[in-house]
Amino acid sequence: MCLKALIITGLLIFCCNENFSQDYFSYGGGNFCGLNQVISNPAAAADNRLVLDITLGGLDVDFNNSWFEIKRAALTPTRSAGTLKFPVTWNNLTPNVPDNVYKNFNVVSSGKDRSVILENRVLMPSAMVRLNSKNSIAFTWSIRQIFNADGVSQPLATLFEKELDLSVTQNNRITNKSLAVVQMAWAEYGVTYARVLKDKDKHFIKAGITPKLLQGLESAYMVIKDLDFYLSNQDTSSYLNANVSYARSANFNSPMQNGKPDPAFYKFTGKPSLGLDLGFIYEWRPDFAKYRYKTESGEDAWRNDLNKYKLKFGVSVVDIGKIKFDKQGKYYDLDIVVKNSDITKFFTLSNLAMLDSMLRADYSSKNQNSQYSILLPAAINTQVDYSFNRYFYLNLSAHLGNFYKSNSYRVHNYSAICFAPRVEHYWFNVSLPLTFNALSADRFKYLSPGLNLRLGPLCIGSNNLTPFFKGDISSFNFYAVLKLSIPYKRLKDRDGDRLPDKKDQCPDHPGEIAYGGCPDADNDKIPDKDDGCPHQPGIVAQRGCPDADGDGIIDGDDACPRDSGSITLRGCPDTDNDGIINKNDSCPGLKGLDRFHGCPDTDGDLVHDGNDKCSTIAGPAENNGCPWSDTDKDGIIDIQDSCINIAGTPAFKGCPPPPPKLALVEKRVLEKAFSNLKFESAKDIIKPTSFPYLNSLATLMVAKKAEWTIKLSGHTDNEGTEAGNMILSEKRVKAVQKYLVKRGIPPENITVEWFGQTQPVADNLTKEGKQKNRRVEMVVLMKEQ
C-alpha cells in the first residue's frame, strides 16, 4: 500500500525547509515595543512612545504539538551534520535497534487527534515614524513560515509510533477522518497608517490599518480524507479507501544550500496577493490633566514620553488574505480504492519521483486545477493593559486563531491567552508571562511560565521557559529582536507640576504654570518666592501679605486688621478723632473724654452720653442720666408721687386732697345742685330752675372757703360731633364756674375740667341714658393747708 509513502511525503514537507514564525506574544504588550506592537495591532503606531523605531532584525521560533515529547537526553550533540550538530541516533532509521530515531520520543496519550505546528517569523529591516500628534506610519517586512499537521487519529498515530510497522495493523481496521499536512513560507511587506480618532479628556481612541503585499515563497500540502484500510496479513490489504490531495509549489526546498542562504529561494513563486491587518485601541485616562505640559510656545500639549491611560483595551484582526501558487511537478487529487492488493511494492520506494510514478500509474486522478491557494493564519488579537503607576502594569492578551477549520488548505496557529505582569521603564522592560495555549492543553499542559527582557536595543524572551531547564520537550518558543529606537525625550519635571524643569523657575516645588512653575500656597496669585506672607492670601501692593481693611498696614502688624485706621494708631480707626481708638471708645461716633472711655457728657450731669439716656437733659446717675418724670404734671416727680397719674399736692405726697367729711345737710346741698343743674338744649345757658340750687351751693362754699375747694367736671351725650361736644362741655362747666364766682366763691377755690362725650355713665342709645350723660359733676375737696 501507499500509506507509508504518503506519511513519508508529509514528513518531507515538514523536514525539508527552514521555518519562520508569527508571535512575539508577550513582548507586544510593552509600550516601548514599537513595531512589534504594530504587528499585533496596527493602531499601536499612533500616539506611540517612540519618535522613530527601526528594526534591524528579529526571529521568533515556535514549536508545539499534542503528540509526542522529545527526550532531553536525545538532544545531546554527538556529531556534525553540515553546520549543525545532531545526535547520532537521529540518523538511524533501522527498525528495532537500540539507537533507532524513534527511541528519542515519548508518546502523549490524550485520546484526541494529534496536531503539530512549527511557526517562525524573521523580522527584516523595518521602520516606524510618527508624523504628528495624530498620525503615524510604518513599514514592516517579515519572512514567515508555518507548518501544520492536523487530524492524526489515534490508530494512525499508533502506526507511526510503531515505526510504520504494518504488522501491527494486521486484522485491525485503521481510520482517519481528515489528515492535513500544510506548509507555507511567504514574505510580507506592510505599510501601516494609524490615526488618533478621539482625544477627549478621559477618552482616547486610535485606529490603524496595514495593507500587505504578500510574496509566496514556497508551499505544499497533503490532505487525506476518509482514510480507511484493513490488512488481512502483513503484505496484503483487504481494502484501502482514501481521498488524497497533494501539491507543491516551485522552490519547495530549503532556503539554505550547503550552509549558506540560497538566493534562488527568495522570489515570487506564488501570485502577488494582498493581505490586511486592522486594529482599534481605546484608552481610559481618568487623570489626563497631569499628563499635559506647556510647550515652548505656551500651548497645552500631551507628554509624549509618558503613558496616560489607567486602562487600555485593544482589538485587531490580522492576517486576512490568501496566497495563490502554481502547482509544480506532479500533483494529485486521487480517489484511492484498493482491494486484496500486494503492498510490498511500496516499500521499494526511495524518493518522491518513484512515488509519483507509481501513484499516477496505478490510480486515476480527478479533474484538477493547476493552481491552489493557502489561507493566511487569520487571528483576532485582544489586549487589556492596566496601569498601577508609571512603571508597573498588568496585561491580559488573547490571540484567537485556528479559524476556517472546515478548510484544509490553510496554515494556522492556535488560540492562546497570556497574563503578564510587567515592569516598564524608559530603557528596559521585564515581564513574566503566564500563557495558556489551546494545543498545549491537549497534552494536559495548561500554563507555561515565560520571561521577556528589553535592554536598550535588544529584546529577548520566551513564552515557555520550561524546556530550557528541565523535562522532555513537547514545545519550544524563543524570540529576539535587535532594533534602534528613539523614544521621546524624557521631560524632566522633578516636582511634577507639568512644567519642564528647563522652564520651571521653582523646579523642586510643584507650582502653577502661570507663575513659572512656582507654588502659590495661599492662592493669592503671587508666587511664594515673591510673597512676604506665603501662607496668607494677600495683595501685590503688600508683597503678598493681607491688608484686609486696606489701610496700608499688613494684617500681621495691624492692631485692627478688619478696620481701616491710621499708622499712628497701629492701623486702628478713631472715627471721632478724640484720640481714643474705636475698639476702646464707648462712643466711637462722638468726640469724648478718656475718663468716660471716649464718650462726651453733653448735659454735664456726670453721666457720659454713652450711658446717658437723656444726654441733653441733666439727670441723676441712678436714673441713667435722665430727670425723673412727672406723669400727672403736678410738679411732684413720679418717684416721690404716690399718685403719679393724678395731679396732687406736696402736702398729700402728690395725691389730690381727700374729700371732706360732709354733714348730711351739706351732702344734700351738693346733690341737689348737681341733680337740678339744667342747660338750654345744645347751649351753655343755665336754666333758671337751676339757680336756687346753685345759690345754696355757693352759700355753703363761701362759708367753707377756708377749708374747701370744689372741682367741676363737664360731660355731654353723643349728640353732634365729638369736637363740638368737647367745646360744649368746656363752655357749660365754665358757665357754672362763672355763676358760682359771682355768688362769692373765690375763683382759686374752683377748678374745672371737661371731657365732652368721652366718659359716659349711661347708655347713649336711650333718652334716659343721654340725660344722665349730660352733666357737670361736682366734687368737694379739702383745701391744702
Side-chain angles (χ1 to χ4, degrees):
M1 74 173 271
C2 63
L3 176 60
K4 183 172 181 178
L6 294 177
I7 294 178
I8 291 174
T9 303
L11 292 176
L12 288 172
I13 294 175
F14 175 83
C15 299
C16 291
N17 298 277
E18 299 294 332
N19 298 280
F20 312 99
S21 177
Q22 178 267 347
D23 205 3
Y24 300 95
F25 192 32
S26 63
Y27 175 59
N31 291 292
F32 291 90
C33 296
L35 284 163
N36 295 86
Q37 276 192 314
V38 175
I39 290 173
S40 176
N41 189 329
D47 188 52
N48 205 276
R49 301 288 75 75
L50 304 177
V51 180
L52 176 67
D53 187 37
I54 298 175
T55 296
L56 301 177
L59 173 67
D60 187 356
V61 180
D62 191 72
F63 164 71
N64 202 353
N65 85 102
S66 60
W67 189 349
F68 56 83
E69 296 175 339
I70 302 172
K71 294 181 180 179
R72 182 170 290 274
L75 297 176
T76 304
T78 56
R79 75 175 187 178
S80 295
T83 58
L84 301 176
K85 290 185 177 182
F86 289 93
V88 174
T89 56
W90 284 60
N91 294 322
N92 193 342
L93 296 177
T94 304
N96 302 318
V97 296
D99 61 350
N100 182 275
V101 67
Y102 292 99
K103 304 297 183 183
N104 297 325
F105 297 89
N106 291 324
V107 175
V108 177
S109 297
S110 64
K112 297 182 179 180
D113 287 353
R114 274 52 166 181
S115 294
V116 179
I117 181 173
L118 180 62
E119 177 184 8
N120 300 315
R121 181 195 290 261
V122 173
L123 280 180
M124 303 300 287
S126 304
M128 180 187 72
V129 63
R130 176 171 169 172
L131 301 178
N132 52 43
S133 61
K134 289 186 176 294
N135 301 285
S136 296
I137 59 173
F139 168 74
T140 53
W141 177 17
S142 298
I143 301 174
R144 303 172 60 182
Q145 190 168 24
I146 296 180
F147 167 83
N148 290 116
D150 296 306
V152 181
S153 67
Q154 178 66 52
L156 193 60
T158 301
L159 178 61
F160 179 80
E161 293 156 11
K162 297 300 182 179
E163 307 174 25
L164 300 179
D165 183 357
L166 297 180
S167 64
V168 301
T169 66
Q170 187 173 343
N171 297 320
N172 288 306
R173 184 181 179 185
I174 300 295
T175 61
N176 200 96
K177 181 65 175 176
S178 178
L179 169 65
V181 181
V182 183
Q183 157 73 30
M184 182 169 69
W186 72 100
E188 57 185 35
Y189 312 89
V191 177
T192 299
Y193 170 70
R195 178 178 174 81
V196 174
L197 300 181
K198 180 177 182 179
D199 185 359
K200 184 67 174 176
D201 297 336
K202 295 182 180 181
H203 306 291
F204 179 88
I205 300 174
K206 55 186 177 180
I209 182 170
T210 303
K212 296 185 288 189
L213 175 64
L214 305 176
Q215 177 184 359
L217 299 178
E218 56 83 14
S219 67
Y221 67 85
M222 181 181 68
V223 178
I224 304 175
K225 293 184 178 294
D226 300 320
L227 174 64
D228 185 3
F229 73 92
Y230 181 86
L231 297 182
S232 58
N233 57 60
Q234 185 173 352
D235 298 327
T236 305
S237 65
S238 295
Y239 65 86
L240 184 149
N241 297 321
N243 296 320
V244 178
S245 297
Y246 162 75
R248 67 177 179 85
S249 69
N251 263 7
F252 183 62
N253 53 35
S254 172
M256 307 293 290
Q257 293 293 332
N258 300 320
K260 298 180 180 180
D262 181 4
F265 180 81
Y266 196 80
K267 65 180 182 179
F268 278 93
T269 59
K271 305 296 184 182
S273 304
L274 293 178
L276 187 65
D277 297 345
L278 296 170
F280 292 87
I281 292 176
Y282 166 78
E283 294 181 6
W284 179 52
R285 301 175 170 183
D287 300 322
F288 64 92
K290 70 181 183 180
Y291 296 105
R292 292 189 177 275
Y293 77 101
K294 286 296 183 181
T295 64
E296 294 290 344
S297 61
E299 297 178 353
D300 204 30
W302 288 114
R303 284 194 61 174
N304 293 319
D305 60 318
L306 295 179
N307 299 314
K308 296 91 175 170
Y309 64 87
K310 189 70 174 177
L311 186 69
K312 177 171 70 174
F313 173 75
V315 61
S316 61
V317 181
V318 297
D319 290 330
I320 303 170
K322 61 183 177 180
I323 302 177
K324 183 177 290 187
F325 294 90
D326 291 325
K327 294 180 180 179
Q328 298 294 314
K330 307 301 181 182
Y331 47 90
Y332 310 98
D333 287 316
L334 306 174
D335 284 329
I336 299 177
V337 178
V338 177
K339 292 186 179 181
N340 299 318
S341 175
D342 181 6
I343 64 173
T344 57
K345 59 184 179 180
F346 290 102
F347 295 95
T348 63
L349 298 175
S350 60
N351 55 50
L352 287 178
M354 294 179 64
L355 173 64
D356 177 71
S357 298
M358 184 176 295
L359 290 174
R360 295 182 68 84
D362 291 352
Y363 304 104
S364 60
S365 177
K366 299 178 183 177
N367 293 326
Q368 302 179 60
N369 194 321
S370 63
Q371 294 181 327
Y372 64 95
S373 296
I374 303 294
L375 292 175
L376 295 182
I380 296 174
N381 293 323
T382 63
Q383 180 189 104
V384 178
D385 204 45
Y386 180 81
S387 171
F388 282 93
N389 52 47
R390 186 182 300 183
Y391 304 107
F392 185 59
Y393 299 79
L394 286 181
N395 184 274
L396 182 64
S397 298
H399 178 81
L400 308 176
N402 199 12
F403 301 138
Y404 312 117
K405 292 184 179 181
S406 61
N407 190 331
S408 300
Y409 305 98
R410 64 191 174 101
V411 290
H412 65 87
N413 44 43
Y414 289 86
S415 296
I417 299 175
C418 177
F419 173 74
R422 180 176 81 257
V423 175
E424 180 175 282
H425 194 262
Y426 197 62
W427 288 116
F428 71 86
N429 270 35
V430 178
S431 64
L432 300 173
L434 193 63
T435 304
F436 167 85
N437 183 281
L439 185 58
S440 299
D442 284 348
R443 64 173 192 277
F444 313 111
K445 181 67 175 180
Y446 297 105
L447 293 176
S448 300
L451 173 67
N452 168 249
L453 296 174
R454 176 177 64 89
L455 297 173
L458 179 62
C459 309
I460 60 173
S462 173
N463 290 332
N464 186 6
L465 290 177
T466 305
F468 290 91
F469 299 103
K470 67 176 182 178
D472 296 333
I473 298 171
S474 56
S475 64
F476 176 82
N477 170 251
F478 173 78
Y479 48 84
V481 182
L482 184 64
K483 58 169 57 188
L484 294 177
S485 299
I486 302 178
Y488 278 92
K489 187 176 181 180
R490 293 299 296 269
L491 293 179
K492 294 181 179 179
D493 182 15
R494 295 198 298 270
D495 53 16
D497 60 2
R498 301 197 303 119
L499 194 65
D501 290 349
K502 65 180 181 180
K503 295 179 59 180
D504 199 331
Q505 298 177 28
C506 302
D508 295 312
H509 303 284
E512 301 294 330
I513 293 175
Y515 310 131
C518 290
D520 178 19
D522 52 16
N523 295 313
D524 61 0
K525 298 184 179 180
I526 302 170
D528 292 353
K529 68 183 182 68
D530 300 325
D531 199 331
C533 302
H535 300 293
Q536 295 176 284
I539 59 177
V540 175
Q542 297 294 346
R543 290 188 62 251
C545 289
D547 181 12
D549 53 17
D551 58 4
I553 304 170
I554 64 173
D555 292 353
D557 298 332
D558 198 331
C560 302
R562 297 291 178 267
D563 300 296
S564 178
S566 67
I567 295 176
T568 57
L569 296 177
R570 293 187 59 221
C572 289
D574 178 17
T575 304
D576 52 19
N577 296 312
D578 59 3
I580 304 168
I581 62 175
N582 289 356
K583 69 177 183 178
N584 297 328
D585 197 331
S586 298
C587 302
L590 298 172
K591 191 171 185 178
L593 304 172
D594 186 61
R595 64 179 289 192
F596 292 133
H597 302 289
C599 288
D601 183 11
T602 303
D603 54 14
D605 59 3
L606 299 182
V607 179
H608 69 77
D609 292 358
N611 293 331
D612 196 335
K613 294 184 178 179
C614 303
S615 60
T616 59
I617 304 174
E622 57 267 27
N623 195 37
N624 298 317
C626 290
W628 295 107
S629 59
D630 181 12
T631 304
D632 53 12
K633 309 298 182 184
D634 59 2
I636 303 169
I637 61 176
D638 289 352
I639 197 173
Q640 298 174 353
D641 195 333
S642 298
C643 302
I644 62 175
N645 295 313
I646 303 173
T649 65
F652 296 102
K653 297 182 179 181
C655 291
K661 293 182 180 180
L662 301 179
L664 180 60
V665 173
E666 295 169 338
K667 286 182 180 181
R668 291 182 63 85
V669 170
L670 186 64
E671 290 173 354
K672 286 184 177 182
F674 170 72
S675 61
N676 291 287
L677 180 60
K678 306 295 181 185
F679 292 91
E680 295 291 336
S681 177
K683 296 180 179 179
D684 60 346
I685 300 174
I686 303 172
K687 288 184 177 183
T689 57
S690 301
F691 293 162
Y693 303 102
L694 291 176
N695 293 338
S696 297
L697 176 61
T699 301
L700 177 62
M701 293 302 296
V702 169
K704 295 289 188 176
K705 65 181 178 182
E707 302 174 27
W708 295 355
T709 64
I710 188 169
K711 182 172 72 171
L712 305 177
S713 302
H715 301 272
T716 69
D717 60 18
N718 64 350
E719 291 291 332
T721 66
E722 185 175 352
N725 287 332
M726 185 64 71
I727 294 172
L728 180 61
S729 65
E730 178 186 3
K731 288 180 177 181
R732 283 180 174 181
V733 75
K734 287 183 177 180
V736 175
Q737 178 188 34
K738 183 178 180 181
Y739 185 90
L740 292 177
V741 169
K742 285 181 178 182
R743 294 293 181 273
I745 301 176
E748 63 272 16
N749 280 11
I750 302 174
T751 59
V752 296
E753 57 185 8
W754 53 92
F755 300 98
Q757 65 185 46
T758 62
Q759 295 184 2
V761 294
D763 191 349
N764 278 313
L765 295 177
T766 64
K767 183 177 180 180
E768 292 77 9
K770 289 183 177 182
Q771 178 65 40
K772 291 180 180 181
N773 289 333
R774 295 191 296 270
R775 68 193 187 280
V776 175
E777 294 178 348
M778 303 173 186
V779 179
V780 176
L781 301 172
M782 293 294 294
K783 191 172 184 179
E784 184 176 357
Q785 299 298 320

